[in-house]
Amino acid sequence: EIVLTQSPGTLSLSPGERATLSCRASQSVSANYVAWYQQRPGQAPRLLLYGTSNRATGIPDRFTGSGSGTDFSLTITRLEAEDFTVYYCQHYGGSPLVTFGGGTKVEIK
Amino acid sequence: QVRLQEWGAGLLKPSETLSLTCSVSGGSFTENYWAWLRQFPGRGLEWIGEIHHGGITDYNPSLKSRVSITWSTSKRQFALRLSSVTAADTAIYYCARLMISGYINVWGQGTTVTVSS
């Protein structure tokens, strides 16, 4: 099983600052099959990025993704008020077919 | 635009069978991959399984002995059954569309299932 470990668990930042969220896989994975989601309280997750760096429809360009092998990251260049919430990385293709990281909460400092 | 709506019993007793249905509106039904996922209290997300292409299924090995996903193309619905539930199955259950490249771009609103005696 491919395990995704997200760090940090909580990130305390101020609006306007840059956030960098990490997702580490327990073994090398294809960048084609790594995605990131945002989840606000009481809502279902929302797709942000797929294929490591492709923004989903309607996602602003302050959200960028990068990585390869076992290390992937989501960067939010300038945090806005609505960005303070929880983010998950996800991989497709192992067993089980879909796995998620444990999430990173971005909170207001 | 694809929209998903799930429903089913929200309160179960241990050993009962969880049964949820997801209705799909918009888009192609038979050409997509449809999935069930759940989210435990405290955040963790878990993939339960999927169905696609003529009813082919793939399940999370940890649940395979208890889970069944079926679909009705005429009703544009797919369903989840999870047998012998315990308190550990308490979660928010989501139906979703899984793209062939492995990401989920449509989610239902989620339905809470609680298992308690």
Side-chain angles (χ1 to χ4, degrees):
Chain A
E1 177 180 351
I2 294 172
V3 177
L4 300 179
T5 302
Q6 290 189 243
S7 62
T10 302
L11 193 54
S12 298
L13 295 167
S14 300
E17 289 193 301
R18 179 188 188 95
T20 301
L21 288 65
S22 172
C23 177
R24 177 162 289 177
S26 58
Q27 61 190 83
S28 184
V29 300
S30 170
N32 292 330
Y33 299 117
V34 173
W36 289 89
Y37 301 84
Q38 177 192 69
Q39 187 176 31
R40 295 185 174 129
Q43 297 183 16
R46 177 176 74 141
L47 178 68
L48 292 177
L49 303 170
Y50 62 94
T52 295
S53 59
N54 300 289
R55 277 186 291 275
T57 302
I59 302 304
D61 60 8
R62 66 179 182 274
F63 292 92
T64 60
S66 64
S68 63
T70 60
D71 293 312
F72 298 85
S73 63
L74 166 67
T75 299
I76 311 170
T77 51
R78 295 171 307 278
L79 284 165
E80 298 191 5
E82 64 265 28
D83 300 336
F84 289 91
T85 189
V86 181
Y87 296 84
Y88 296 94
C89 60
Q90 175 240 316
H91 173 256
Y92 173 85
S95 178
L97 203 55
V98 174
T99 54
F100 291 88
T104 290
K105 180 180 182 180
V106 179
E107 67 175 21
I108 297 177
K109 188 173 181 180
Chain B
Q1 184 178 2
V2 174
R3 294 191 185 274
L4 305 176
Q5 175 76 50
E6 60 275 83
W7 70 89
L11 181 61
L12 297 173
K13 290 182 167 46
S15 80
E16 291 185 333
T17 295
L18 179 157
S19 182
L20 299 175
T21 301
C22 182
S23 179
V24 178
S25 60
S28 169
F29 184 76
T30 56
E31 293 179 6
N32 279 296
Y33 288 56
W34 305 108
W36 287 99
L37 304 99
R38 62 184 181 179
Q39 186 166 33
F40 302 107
R43 286 198 331 217
L45 282 160
E46 181 177 67
W47 174 75
I48 299 171
E50 66 177 44
I51 188 166
H52 62 274
H53 290 169
I56 297 171
T57 54
D58 198 344
Y59 300 130
N60 189 320
S62 69
L63 298 170
K64 194 170 186 176
S65 63
R66 298 195 290 134
V67 70
S68 173
I69 298 175
T70 57
W71 72 359
S72 168
T73 55
S74 60
K75 294 182 179 178
R76 293 177 61 91
Q77 294 175 353
F78 61 104
L80 169 69
R81 287 176 61 87
L82 182 68
S83 63
S84 305
V85 297
T86 70
D89 294 309
T90 293
I92 299 172
Y93 286 74
Y94 294 100
C95 60
R97 181 177 72 175
L98 177 69
M99 300 302 285
I100 196 168
S101 297
Y103 57 89
I104 298 163
N105 66 350
V106 182
W107 298 73
Q109 84 285 359
T111 188
T112 298
V113 175
T114 301
V115 180
S116 174
S117 56

